[in-house]
Amino acid sequence: VSIFTCTSHYEKARQVMEQYLVHELAGVWGNITGRYIAMYEFPDVKMLSGKKTVLYGAGKVGTDYYRQLCRYEKCSVVAFADTHFEKYTYDYVTVIGPEKIKELDWDVLVLSVMKQETAQRIRNFLIDQGVDGEKIYWCKPKQIYAVE
């Protein structure tokens, strides 16, 4: 028995470490093989059927959502946006800044981030920028690849 397993935070620390390792290994595997490993998916694709969707958040959750939604004929991703859009370069899509969202024709903006607190902070920011808060949506991403 190690001293680490005796601490009250062992289980949470183990989960965080496993998630970090899975995330990093997925990235390394993708770099070596050229294949992409999705870790998250949007849990309610039917809700986006027939709607023009803006994805906000271009990190891991956002790229997984984008790849997922583009496979559905009835889902239309009209933009991929992020506050720090300049740091994201993808071959398959251009990431735009938040100021461009108001110029677009869209029905729903999905906050593609993992944590509810982050989603709330982004939602408040977007509302301050003039985005209609009634059209902003977040739900916890479904984890599809996990250490078991």
Side-chain angles (χ1 to χ4, degrees), residues 109-126:
L109 184 146
V110 173
L111 298 174
S112 48
V113 295
M114 192 65 190
K115 295 180 181 175
Q116 185 174 7
E117 301 81 29
T118 304
Q120 188 60 49
R121 190 172 64 249
I122 294 169
R123 182 178 193 284
N124 293 340
F125 167 75
L126 292 172

Side-chain angles (χ1 to χ4, degrees), residues 42 45 48-58 61-81 92-96 104-110 112:
F42 186 73
V45 174
L48 301 177
S49 182
K51 294 193 170 102
K52 292 176 269 185
T53 304
V54 173
L55 290 177
Y56 197 94
V61 175
T63 54
D64 285 358
Y65 279 12
Y66 183 86
R67 289 172 178 263
Q68 174 196 10
L69 297 177
C70 286
R71 293 192 310 257
Y72 292 90
E73 186 177 297
K74 293 185 179 187
C75 289
S76 174
V77 178
V78 297
F80 197 15
Y92 51 89
V93 67
T94 299
V95 181
I96 65 170
L104 303 171
D105 179 26
W106 54 276
D107 302 310
V108 63
L109 184 146
V110 173
S112 48

Side-chain angles (χ1 to χ4, degrees), residues 126-137:
L126 292 172
I127 290 170
D128 288 345
Q129 298 297 307
V131 174
D132 182 356
E134 296 292 316
K135 296 167 78 174
I136 299 173
Y137 181 78

Side-chain angles (χ1 to χ4, degrees), residues 56-58 80-90 93-100:
Y56 197 94
F80 197 15
D82 196 282
T83 305
H84 305 289
F85 65 97
E86 66 280 343
K87 79 178 196 177
Y88 296 102
T89 306
Y90 300 116
V93 67
T94 299
V95 181
I96 65 170
E99 70 285 349
K100 302 266 188 191

Side-chain angles (χ1 to χ4, degrees), residues 6-51:
C6 295
T7 67
S8 61
H9 301 290
Y10 167 75
E11 187 57 31
K12 181 64 178 168
R14 185 187 62 75
Q15 289 173 355
V16 169
M17 287 174 22
E18 283 179 355
Q19 275 307 114
Y20 174 78
L21 289 173
V22 167
H23 185 271
E24 291 302 308
L25 289 173
V28 170
W29 178 256
N31 289 338
I32 292 170
T33 65
R35 299 187 69 193
Y36 186 83
I37 299 174
M39 294 179 62
Y40 306 102
E41 71 181 13
F42 186 73
D44 190 9
V45 174
K46 288 181 182 178
M47 164 216 170
L48 301 177
S49 182
K51 294 193 170 102

